[in-house]
Amino acid sequence: MSQGHPPEIWSAARGEQVLAPHATTEGGLLPALHDLQAAFGFIPDEAVRMLAQVFNLSRAEVHGVVTFYHDFRREPAGRHVVKLCQAEACQAMGSRDLAAHAGAHLGVALGGTTGDGRVTLEPIYCLGLCATAPSAMIDGRVLGRVTPARLDAALEALA
Ligand code: FES
C-alpha cells in the first residue's frame, strides 16, 4: 500500500474498538472519523450507522460531516493516491487544466479511482507549497511546479 500501513478489513467489532475512545468525548465525531479512516482507509456505510448511534445523530448528519471534509473517503482508495491541489494559488497556475489532463490520462475524474484499482485521483486544498504552484502529492510525497509532462512521468512510474 502506498500510504503508511495497509488498511485493515472492516469489521463491526474492530470499528467499535476504533471509535470507542471518542464515544464519550464532546466533539468526538471528527477524531473518530479520522481514526476510522486511518484504520480502514475509508469510512464504510456501517461505520456511518455506528457513528450516528454513538453520537446520537442522524445518519444524514454524519454523512454531511463526512462529505464536508475532503479528507474522508467513502470508498477504498487505489494502490496509489495522487492529490492535485485545487486551491487558489495553484488554480492561478493552471491546476484545473492539470486535473483535466490527469483525468484524461487516467480515465477518471477528480475523486475517482481507476478501474484496475491502481490510482485514486483526488483534489486537495493547499499543500502549503503555493510558492511552487501548481502542487501535487503522490503517495504522500509532495511535488511542486507540476507540468503535464512531469505529472505524466510520475504517473507512469507508479506500479
Ligand atoms: S494553493 Fe496549492 S499549495 Fe497552496
Side-chain angles (χ1 to χ4, degrees):
M1 185 68 187
S2 49
Q3 294 198 319
H5 57 84
E8 301 175 37
I9 304 293
W10 165 262
S11 75
R14 181 68 184 120
E16 272 170 27
Q17 208 175 31
V18 171
L19 69 84
H22 307 291
T24 51
T25 317
E26 202 181 326
L29 178 60
L30 269 184
L33 283 167
H34 278 292
D35 284 359
L36 286 166
Q37 175 145 310
F40 304 107
F42 73 114
I43 311 294
D45 284 344
E46 212 182 328
V48 171
R49 277 197 291 278
M50 211 176 255
L51 288 162
Q53 206 168 31
V54 166
F55 291 100
N56 201 19
L57 297 165
S58 70
R59 272 186 232 170
E61 284 170 317
V62 176
H63 183 76
V65 173
V66 173
T67 48
F68 179 79
Y69 293 96
H70 298 281
D71 279 353
F72 300 126
R73 285 191 195 99
R74 292 307 318 274
E75 286 171 9
R79 291 195 298 284
H80 301 283
V81 178
V82 175
K83 297 180 187 234
L84 298 177
C85 180
Q86 299 296 300
E88 213 173 320
C90 286
Q91 261 192 39
M93 296 301 283
S95 67
R96 283 198 175 153
D97 288 347
L98 205 57
H101 176 84
H105 183 123
L106 294 168
V108 290
L110 273 185
T113 298
T114 55
D116 59 2
R118 194 171 72 98
V119 180
T120 293
L121 186 63
E122 290 182 338
I124 192 166
Y125 295 88
C126 197
L127 287 159
L129 291 174
C130 312
T132 56
S135 307
M137 183 185 266
I138 301 181
D139 291 342
R141 200 169 42 90
V142 289
L143 218 63
R145 297 194 176 91
V146 184
T147 61
R150 284 190 74 199
L151 188 61
D152 286 349
L155 293 175
E156 292 304 330
L158 299 177

